[in-house]
Amino acid sequence: DTAVSQTPKYLVTQMGNDKSIKCEQNLGHDTMYWYKQDSKKFLKIMFSYNNKELIINETVPNRFSPKSPDKAHLNLHINSLELGDSAVYFCASSQFDRGSYEQYFGPGTRLTVT
Amino acid sequence: QKEVEQNSGPLSVPEGAIASLNCTYSDRGSQSFFWYRQYSGKSPELIMFIYSNGDKEDGRFTAQLNKASQYVSLLIRDSQPSDSATYLCAVRPRGDSWGKLQFGAGTQVVVTP
């Protein structure tokens, strides 16, 4: 069974478009994260939700808007896409209430903006 | 100064040898330390975590933490070609309450038969 899943796996779109990425975890975790990995492979946290509450909100353009309808799902909507948004976006989850900080990653969504 | 630093490599290791990876961090109060393995085109996979000074062993992997010297290392014993990947070090900084990990840029390991 897939633990953390993301859709779509690949996303190719033009500048100026709006797109969404979806993430679901079946680990029963209470915390989910969005990361961006750029072309240099540097992984940087963007957002995190704990039980549907936004707890980490890094310095990210406000064109990026996360949403967590429940603790098993986390979506990322991106408005007015720019070339610099091209990257791989990873979702991750962890079980926070046990004081556990181990994070488990989804397969990633490779976004290409042309 | 980067918050988490790793030698980018590639680190070339003969099959069967020990691969030794190092990671240094700038925040002396950092709390938790993680090693992830990332194959090309795949997602990071958690392979080790360590919270206290000393060594932690899991199979062929050993993580070593020295908070006084602000480094964490990963040893891979009996290296196999399947260990060829990029290894990411991640650190949870002082004051973090929500798992806001800081990642290094990764060390590429190449195990040669």
Side-chain angles (χ1 to χ4, degrees):
Chain A
D1 279 347
T2 303
V4 182
S5 59
Q6 293 180 230
T7 54
K9 190 169 183 180
Y10 299 97
L11 191 49
V12 181
T13 189
Q14 292 183 325
M15 285 177 57
N17 285 347
D18 303 338
K19 290 294 178 185
S20 291
I21 306 171
K22 295 182 184 296
C23 178
E24 177 180 359
Q25 55 94 4
N26 63 5
L27 297 168
H29 287 170
D30 59 4
T31 306
M32 297 182 73
Y33 308 80
W34 278 117
Y35 284 87
K36 179 180 180 180
Q37 189 170 44
D38 59 26
S39 58
K40 295 183 179 178
K41 306 303 181 187
F42 190 65
L43 197 61
K44 190 164 174 61
I45 194 166
M46 301 172 69
F47 303 103
S48 177
Y49 275 78
N50 174 261
N51 285 317
K52 303 193 294 178
E53 180 183 350
L54 182 65
I55 56 172
I56 297 175
N57 187 0
E58 290 295 277
T59 305
V60 174
N62 58 16
R63 298 181 295 101
F64 290 79
S65 52
K67 191 167 288 187
S68 181
D70 57 61
K71 70 177 187 177
H73 295 85
L74 180 62
N75 304 323
L76 182 65
H77 187 75
I78 315 170
N79 288 323
S80 303
L81 278 154
E82 300 179 357
L83 292 176
D85 297 332
S86 295
V88 182
Y89 293 84
F90 289 104
C91 175
S93 73
S94 67
Q95 180 58 22
F96 204 76
D97 64 359
R98 290 201 300 263
S100 164
Y101 301 98
E102 300 97 62
Q103 296 179 20
Y104 298 89
F105 284 76
T109 296
R110 183 174 295 276
L111 171 65
T112 303
V113 182
T114 62
Chain B
Q1 181 188 8
K2 292 180 182 174
E3 292 157 326
V4 180
E5 296 211 50
Q6 297 180 253
N7 187 322
S8 61
L11 175 66
S12 184
V13 180
E15 185 174 357
I18 296 175
S20 178
L21 291 74
N22 292 319
C23 171
T24 59
Y25 56 94
S26 59
D27 182 356
R28 182 174 287 276
S30 295
Q31 307 176 66
S32 314
F33 306 85
F34 307 86
W35 283 100
Y36 285 84
R37 176 177 63 199
Q38 187 173 24
Y39 293 113
S40 180
K42 301 295 185 182
S43 60
E45 174 192 5
L46 180 65
I47 55 172
M48 289 288 288
F49 58 90
I50 185 166
Y51 294 169
S52 304
N53 271 333
D55 294 0
K56 179 180 179 182
E57 187 174 316
D58 184 0
R60 295 186 297 111
F61 298 102
T62 298
Q64 299 174 317
L65 174 60
N66 185 324
K67 289 188 177 181
S69 299
Q70 294 173 237
Y71 81 79
V72 55
S73 61
L74 179 71
L75 301 178
I76 308 173
R77 289 182 299 282
D78 188 25
S79 295
Q80 302 296 309
S82 59
D83 295 325
S84 297
T86 296
Y87 290 79
L88 305 173
C89 172
V91 173
R92 192 168 74 89
R94 170 184 16 208
D96 169 67
S97 300
W98 296 111
K100 185 174 159 182
L101 301 185
Q102 297 167 340
F103 281 81
T107 297
Q108 184 186 4
V109 172
V110 179
V111 180
T112 54

